[in-house]
Amino acid sequence: SELSGVVEYRNVTFAYPGAESPVLSNISFTARPGQTIAIIGSTGAGKTSLLSLLPRLYDAAEGEVLLDGVPVNNLDHAEITKRVALVPQRPYLFSGTIEHNLRFGKTDATDQELWEALRVAQGESFVREKSKALESRISQGGTNVSGGQRQRLCIARALVTKPRVYLFDDSFSALDVATDARLRAALKDTTADATVIIVAQRVSTITEADQILVLDNGRIVDRGTHEELLETSPTYQEIVES
Ligand code: TTP
Ligand code: MG
């Protein structure tokens, strides 16, 4: 049987409500289970906007976003969040325990599942080091944990839901290079047959992606593997050198 989690953007053009010009123009790509698709581009290029259309934070006016062949506009949020987890660029923790924050998307997750998610997200040791471990309190907005810890807790929260599709919006930027590398190695195993779409600032985060989409001013200007883009894409070369 075919694994679910196929994402397809078909000629998607999108403008924010009330805005005159689109932030995304004619976006087309397909991401399949087992693949990692990376999106890279300068600030304001439209990376976050692109991801936001799959979980229907906004709906595209033109073109279609499809999940397993069905336009997401025909699916409700519950149906989408069963299959898709978005780790937002500004990871959000709410006031409550670490456990509550991790169980947010799957309230019946076992403690073992929480620890496994933390292990993959490289959050196991800092949670264990806290005197109350999973029962430790997080303050509103997560201000009593570091930015990197907040990112790892939000990645763990996504892992707990065992989605078919992961959307990581710049989720590794607050991590040092070594933690970033360890996390991605662990993720690679756990998400091996899921669909992974990663927005990244650092090229080192995405060199192994099956396909990299270079986004510039709301358009995919180039696409290919890291090696292909180094040869063919001036925009990518600029990003690599910056
Ligand atoms: P983003 O999609 O936020 O661009 P980005 O994610 O590529 O940038 P960064 O690397 O800094 O995270 O924004 C694209 C354009 O859309 C930008 O002009 C701001 C605009 N925008 C809105 O008008 N409303 C919104 O809610 C967002 C997220 C963006
Ligand atoms: Mg962004």
Side-chain angles (χ1 to χ4, degrees):
S1 75
E2 228 174 287
L3 289 173
S4 66
V6 181
V7 174
E8 185 184 354
Y9 281 56
R10 210 179 270 169
N11 302 319
V12 171
T13 294
F14 169 66
Y16 281 99
E20 281 186 7
S21 48
V23 293
L24 296 171
S25 301
N26 205 29
I27 300 291
S28 294
F29 69 93
T30 303
R32 297 178 200 288
Q35 286 186 326
T36 297
I37 304 298
I39 300 165
I40 200 159
S42 56
T43 181
K47 305 179 296 295
T48 295
S49 305
L50 188 156
L51 291 188
S52 73
L53 301 177
L54 181 60
R56 294 193 66 190
L57 303 183
Y58 293 95
D59 285 335
E62 283 175 54
E64 276 183 324
V65 177
L66 303 117
L67 178 59
D68 294 319
V70 178
V72 289
N73 292 8
N74 298 343
L75 299 172
D76 62 30
H77 286 100
E79 288 172 292
I80 297 169
T81 51
K82 253 186 257 163
R83 275 177 279 170
V84 178
L86 167 66
V87 180
Q89 190 167 16
R90 285 189 200 78
Y92 188 74
L93 298 176
F94 50 84
S95 164
T97 61
I98 289 180
E99 181 183 338
H100 285 139
N101 271 278
L102 293 180
R103 273 193 225 281
F104 180 69
K106 188 170 185 283
T107 46
D108 61 350
T110 64
D111 278 12
Q112 198 189 338
E113 288 174 310
L114 302 188
W115 283 113
E116 170 59 13
L118 284 168
R119 183 190 66 76
V120 174
Q122 307 301 304
E124 189 179 10
S125 55
F126 84 76
V127 175
R128 277 206 201 284
E129 280 160 20
K130 288 180 176 290
S131 57
K132 293 187 177 169
L134 288 173
E135 279 76 50
S136 308
R137 290 203 73 78
I138 300 283
S139 54
Q140 182 71 31
T143 49
N144 64 336
V145 293
S146 77
Q149 290 171 339
R150 199 150 59 227
Q151 279 192 327
R152 283 176 278 169
L153 290 174
C154 287
I155 292 166
R157 175 195 284 158
L159 286 161
V160 167
T161 68
K162 299 192 172 83
R164 298 298 313 146
V165 182
Y166 289 90
L167 305 176
F168 294 111
D169 192 351
D170 204 11
S171 303
F172 315 106
S173 59
L175 308 176
D176 59 74
V177 173
T179 307
D180 178 10
R182 275 202 308 277
L183 198 157
R184 282 181 296 101
L187 265 181
K188 207 174 166 183
D189 289 340
T190 306
T191 65
D193 48 47
T195 305
V196 179
I197 303 179
I198 296 184
V199 165
Q201 298 281 346
R202 270 203 295 259
V203 169
S204 65
T205 307
I206 56 157
T207 49
E208 288 172 31
D210 296 291
Q211 188 172 52
I212 300 167
L213 310 177
V214 183
L215 203 63
D216 188 27
N217 207 5
R219 292 174 187 275
I220 298 176
V221 293
D222 290 304
R223 65 179 83 205
T225 63
H226 175 68
E227 287 73 21
E228 288 165 354
L229 290 170
L230 284 178
E231 299 264 317
T232 60
S233 172
T235 314
Y236 190 71
Q237 287 155 12
E238 263 175 50
I239 295 166
V240 170
E241 283 156 21
S242 66

